[in-house]
Amino acid sequence: MFKKLLLACFCAAVLISTGTGLWVWQGLKGLEKPVELEEPLLFHVPKGSSFTEVVGRLEAEGLVSDRLWLRLYGRLEPEQTRIKAGEYEFRDGMSSKDIVGIMVSGDTKHWYVQFIEGWTFQDMRAALANAERLQKQTGDWSSEQIMAAVGAEGEHPEGRFFPDTYAFTSTESDLDLLKRAFDRMESVLAEEWAEREDGLPYQNPYEALIMASIVERETGAPGERDQVAGVFVRRLQKGMRLQTDPTVIYGMGDRYQGRIGRKDLRTHTPYNTYRINGLPPTPIALPGRESIHASFHPDDGDALYFVARGDGTHKFSRTLAEHQKAVRDFQLNRREDYRSSVKQGGE
């Protein structure tokens, strides 16, 4: 009788153990089941959050059906409990394991802000102010405060930040992006300066940056950048004034309303290259890599003038007589479909 009872107890224990094992296996297997979401869900993990706290919030959001299994999973796989702070995006079809894996890897949600070639520093600050999820640290700062914060105290901000698309997380600030853009411009400028052509009329990389900003504003046609740079370099070498409209516009500031008059060309400002010799005192815009490269590697032709054709490109001329004819052909006798994506210059 005792043997039968012992055998029954053993069989019961096996059945219970097997059932429990199956129950646990099914529970853990459920962590691989895709979660249904109508739209992506943003999930923020504050610094210092414990795995248990996050698991509880996942259950509250409906991303985990029963926190028990995820906590057990964490016991079995301790490395999967080392989640990182940040904001994460969870999408339809992810499993509970996928969700934990993203937080362990620190693959946080990224947003983007773009600084466009030819923009001014003011344009940049407006883009940062309008960027969603970006912490606003410099909103009420002066330009001087910003330059001091990026490590360039006392320097002018125009043209000093590299135009590009920058990714950021919700833990980053506008100052973080400004520092990245400033450092990137410093790096690009140093690289191009080291590989520059001989005999250029620049005393330092900053003067080349000023030239690059003018080239950027003068033409959007990639094939013309080195030609435009060549015209301006030769004019500097010959002691001729640059006479380029984008510098006049920059010097006008808020007075510019879409047109330049004769009075504007005669008005003296530090940026009016019809009135001053050499380069203006600072860049006038954000130059891209292509314009920077062109300023260090200008075309070696003999043109000293150019004028907008009306199709986005320019007519380059060697002599004043040729240039005056081009002005009559393309400016004074404009076609109805005349357009120019750049400003007339080199006159």
Side-chain angles (χ1 to χ4, degrees):
M1 181 69 182
F2 176 75
K3 289 183 178 180
K4 290 182 178 180
L5 181 61
L6 186 62
L7 179 61
C9 289
F10 174 76
C11 291
V14 170
L15 289 172
I16 292 172
S17 177
T18 301
T20 301
L22 180 62
W23 176 63
V24 171
W25 180 83
Q26 289 177 331
L28 292 176
K29 194 68 175 176
L31 298 178
E32 300 176 4
K33 181 181 178 181
V35 175
E36 294 184 3
L37 294 173
E38 293 183 1
E39 59 184 21
L41 174 68
L42 290 178
F43 187 84
H44 180 66
V45 179
K47 289 183 179 180
S49 297
S50 69
F51 182 74
T52 300
E53 290 172 338
V54 173
V55 168
R57 290 181 53 217
L58 290 175
E59 183 183 50
E61 293 282 358
L63 298 168
V64 176
S65 58
D66 189 337
R67 73 179 75 181
L68 168 67
W69 303 116
L70 203 49
R71 292 177 65 181
L72 179 59
Y73 173 65
R75 291 289 185 89
L76 297 173
E77 304 285 347
E79 69 277 3
Q80 295 301 309
T81 65
R82 302 188 181 101
I83 58 177
K84 298 176 177 63
E87 194 160 21
Y88 298 90
E89 183 179 68
F90 302 145
R91 299 179 299 277
D92 182 56
M94 285 183 171
S95 68
S96 298
K97 282 188 177 182
D98 292 334
I99 288 171
V100 170
I102 287 176
M103 292 186 290
V104 170
S105 68
D107 186 14
T108 54
K109 169 69 175 176
H110 286 76
W111 286 265
Y112 300 88
V113 64
Q114 188 175 25
F115 303 146
I116 307 295
E117 293 90 343
W119 271 11
T120 63
F121 183 62
Q122 184 177 353
D123 294 329
M124 278 185 60
R125 296 198 67 177
L128 290 171
N130 292 327
E132 295 183 5
R133 299 284 178 172
L134 182 65
Q135 296 182 26
K136 309 303 190 298
Q137 184 175 348
T138 69
D140 58 353
W141 287 16
S142 66
S143 297
E144 290 77 13
Q145 287 176 300
I146 289 176
M147 294 307 290
V150 301
E153 186 173 3
E155 299 181 21
H156 198 281
E158 200 67 81
R160 300 301 301 276
F161 301 86
F162 192 78
D164 204 348
T165 299
Y166 292 89
F168 64 90
T169 68
S170 61
T171 62
E172 293 183 282
S173 71
D174 49 3
L175 180 58
D176 292 323
L177 296 190
L178 286 167
K179 287 180 177 178
R180 284 162 56 187
F182 179 84
D183 291 343
R184 178 83 184 282
M185 180 60 84
E186 291 287 281
S187 176
V188 169
L189 199 57
E191 291 172 8
E192 293 291 345
W193 179 256
E195 301 294 329
R196 68 189 184 280
E197 298 288 341
D198 295 331
L200 296 175
Y202 313 133
Q203 297 298 315
N204 49 58
Y206 188 65
E207 290 189 356
L209 183 65
I210 295 173
M211 175 66 79
S213 73
I214 298 173
V215 172
E216 187 66 62
R217 290 295 295 136
E218 274 289 5
T219 181
E224 287 190 345
R225 290 190 178 102
D226 61 339
Q227 290 179 276
V228 170
V231 167
F232 289 138
V233 164
R234 284 186 288 276
R235 291 178 76 95
L236 287 178
Q237 291 170 332
K238 292 178 178 294
M240 300 172 66
R241 289 178 175 173
L242 295 184
Q243 296 183 317
T244 170
D245 291 359
T247 63
V248 178
I249 292 170
Y250 187 84
M252 292 172 65
D254 293 338
R255 291 190 296 109
Y256 178 68
Q257 299 296 321
R259 294 183 64 86
I260 301 176
R262 292 185 181 275
K263 180 181 178 182
D264 299 315
L265 297 179
R266 291 194 298 265
T267 300
H268 190 284
T269 76
Y271 292 89
N272 186 348
T273 52
Y274 286 84
R275 297 297 306 275
I276 66 169
N277 298 321
L279 293 163
T282 74
I284 61 172
L286 301 178
R289 180 102 193 208
E290 292 78 7
S291 293
I292 295 173
H293 184 79
S295 298
F296 287 115
H297 301 274
D299 173 73
D300 60 359
D302 54 6
L304 292 171
Y305 307 88
F306 59 87
V307 66
R309 295 176 185 271
D311 61 358
T313 65
H314 294 84
K315 168 66 176 176
F316 293 85
S317 302
R318 181 176 58 86
T319 67
L320 180 59
E322 291 175 358
H323 176 64
Q324 289 173 334
K325 181 179 184 302
V327 170
R328 291 193 297 271
D329 292 342
F330 297 109
Q331 291 289 313
L332 301 182
N333 300 313
R334 294 187 179 186
R335 305 173 313 201
E336 291 184 2
D337 62 347
Y338 181 94
R339 68 176 181 85
S340 177
S341 60
V342 293
K343 305 299 180 184
Q344 179 184 340
E347 293 186 330

